[in-house]
Amino acid sequence: MLIFYVDEVGNGNLSANSITEHPWFILGAMGIRDVNRRSVAKALGVIKHQYFGPAWQTQPWGNTEIKGLYLAQAARRLSTGKPPLKPIGYRTMTSDSLKGLVDSLFRLYRTFSPVLYAIGVDKQRHLSIPRRVTYDPIAIAYAYLQQR
């Protein structure tokens, strides 16, 4: 059995403004084998301890959440000589520590070989197909994930 971590980009709103701002709804999912869940959790704890310090365990989750967006924002700021601003746990990151964090995550990926899915719903295209019922892009993406 697989256990999934799921994350979304965009929103399911089908209003004209929403389609202009977020033309796609994207669902990403990473599945790890149930038998590996404790090992993955332990390895992530070690990585977070190494790069965010021991206080990561007592801070709100969002302060040290590892997300591609946060890694990219930190890399952009560091490339201009400025420290990352948010989330708060990233403020002490240096270019070297950020590289180390990304390398550690890659080694974790190589070790556990998770299954990855990315499902995209083009909201404008979805609305352009005549049908009696218009389905929510979020429901469409989750249905595709469940079918896999």
Side-chain angles (χ1 to χ4, degrees), residues 25-29 117-121 140-142 144-146 148:
F25 174 77
I26 308 293
L27 179 74
Y117 290 103
I119 300 139
V121 179
I140 294 169
Y142 274 95
Y144 272 94
L145 176 61
Q146 192 274 330
R148 303 305 171 270

Side-chain angles (χ1 to χ4, degrees), residues 1 30-31 41 65-66 72 77 83 95 101 106 116 121 133 135 142:
M1 174 170 65
M30 178 180 74
E65 184 178 8
I66 299 171
R77 298 246 339 146
S95 293
L101 172 58
F106 179 71
L116 301 177
V121 179
V133 177
Y135 295 99
Y142 274 95

Side-chain angles (χ1 to χ4, degrees), residues 74-91:
R76 270 194 301 278
R77 298 246 339 146
L78 289 165
S79 73
T80 64
K82 300 174 186 168
L85 292 177
K86 55 183 180 177
I88 195 168
Y90 284 69
R91 289 182 181 169

Side-chain angles (χ1 to χ4, degrees), residues 36-102:
N36 291 336
R37 74 181 188 279
R38 286 190 177 99
S39 299
V40 170
K42 182 178 180 183
L44 280 170
V46 168
I47 290 169
K48 288 187 91 167
H49 186 85
Q50 182 176 357
Y51 294 100
F52 296 106
W56 77 269
Q57 293 177 317
T58 58
Q59 294 181 27
W61 175 257
N63 287 0
T64 60
E65 184 178 8
I66 299 171
K67 292 180 74 159
L69 174 66
Y70 299 157
L71 296 171
Q73 288 173 342
R76 270 194 301 278
R77 298 246 339 146
L78 289 165
S79 73
T80 64
K82 300 174 186 168
L85 292 177
K86 55 183 180 177
I88 195 168
Y90 284 69
R91 289 182 181 169
T92 59
M93 285 269 169
T94 64
S95 293
D96 287 342
S97 64
L98 183 64
K99 182 183 180 324
L101 172 58
V102 171

Side-chain angles (χ1 to χ4, degrees), residues 11-31:
N11 63 54
N13 190 319
L14 293 172
S15 70
N17 285 344
S18 178
I19 290 172
T20 300
E21 280 187 43
H22 303 282
W24 286 83
F25 174 77
I26 308 293
L27 179 74
M30 178 180 74

